């Protein structure tokens, strides 16, 4: 790996996965684009950071919506079970009377 690129990864706290993903693309680039990627690394790192924050935010939103849906279903099932149980107990009491 290019020492300048390694230093930039270190400077911007890229994870091993981010480095791997970046290098997969970087290695396919022609030399002149590799030079431009290093020259514009600050912008690239900033854009990656923004995208990661957006993905994390979307993930949290989807996760909480899923939890809310699960909670709603659990409460509905509990309510249904309680209504059925109460109805059965009322029928039992009516038959005793």
């Amino acid at each position: 790996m290019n020492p300048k690129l390694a230093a930039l990864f270190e400077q911007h706290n890229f994870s091993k996965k981010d480095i791997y993903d970046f290098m997969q693309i970087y290695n396919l680039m022609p030399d002149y684009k590799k030079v431009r990627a290093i020259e514009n690394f600050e912008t690239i790192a900033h854009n990656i950071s923004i995208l990661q924050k957006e993905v994390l935010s979307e993930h949290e939103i989807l996760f909480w919506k899923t939890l809310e849906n699960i909670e709603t279903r659990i409460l509905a099932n509990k309510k249904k079970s309680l209504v059925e149980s109460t109805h059965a107990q009322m029928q039992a009491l009516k038959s005793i009377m």
Side-chain angles (χ1 to χ4, degrees), residues 2 4-5 8 26 33-42 44:
N2 180 324
K4 172 81 172 159
L5 200 52
L8 289 168
Y26 182 81
K33 285 192 177 184
K34 288 179 181 179
V35 171
R36 284 190 11 218
I38 292 173
E39 290 172 349
N40 297 315
F41 196 85
E42 297 290 325
I44 293 169

Side-chain angles (χ1 to χ4, degrees), residues 1-96:
M1 179 189 311
N2 180 324
K4 172 81 172 159
L5 200 52
L8 289 168
F9 288 140
E10 180 80 21
Q11 180 183 352
H12 291 281
N13 297 320
F14 271 49
S15 69
K16 288 182 181 182
K17 181 188 180 310
D18 292 337
I19 293 170
Y20 175 81
D21 291 343
F22 186 92
M23 291 306 296
Q24 293 299 306
I25 297 167
Y26 182 81
N27 288 329
L28 297 174
M29 293 177 170
D31 289 340
Y32 75 96
K33 285 192 177 184
K34 288 179 181 179
V35 171
R36 284 190 11 218
I38 292 173
E39 290 172 349
N40 297 315
F41 196 85
E42 297 290 325
T43 304
I44 293 169
H46 179 71
N47 289 337
I48 289 171
S49 176
I50 289 171
L51 290 171
Q52 287 174 332
K53 288 175 185 174
E54 288 176 3
V55 167
L56 180 61
S57 178
E58 289 294 325
H59 177 74
E60 288 175 353
I61 289 168
L62 291 172
F63 180 73
W64 285 112
K65 284 184 179 180
T66 301
L67 285 180
E68 288 173 356
N69 288 341
I70 291 169
E71 183 180 23
T72 301
R73 289 180 181 178
I74 288 171
L75 291 174
N77 284 338
K78 283 183 179 180
K79 182 178 178 181
K80 180 181 175 185
S81 177
L82 182 61
V83 167
E84 289 172 355
S85 174
T86 303
H87 182 69
Q89 290 175 359
M90 288 175 49
Q91 292 299 328
L93 285 173
K94 285 180 183 178
S95 66
I96 294 174

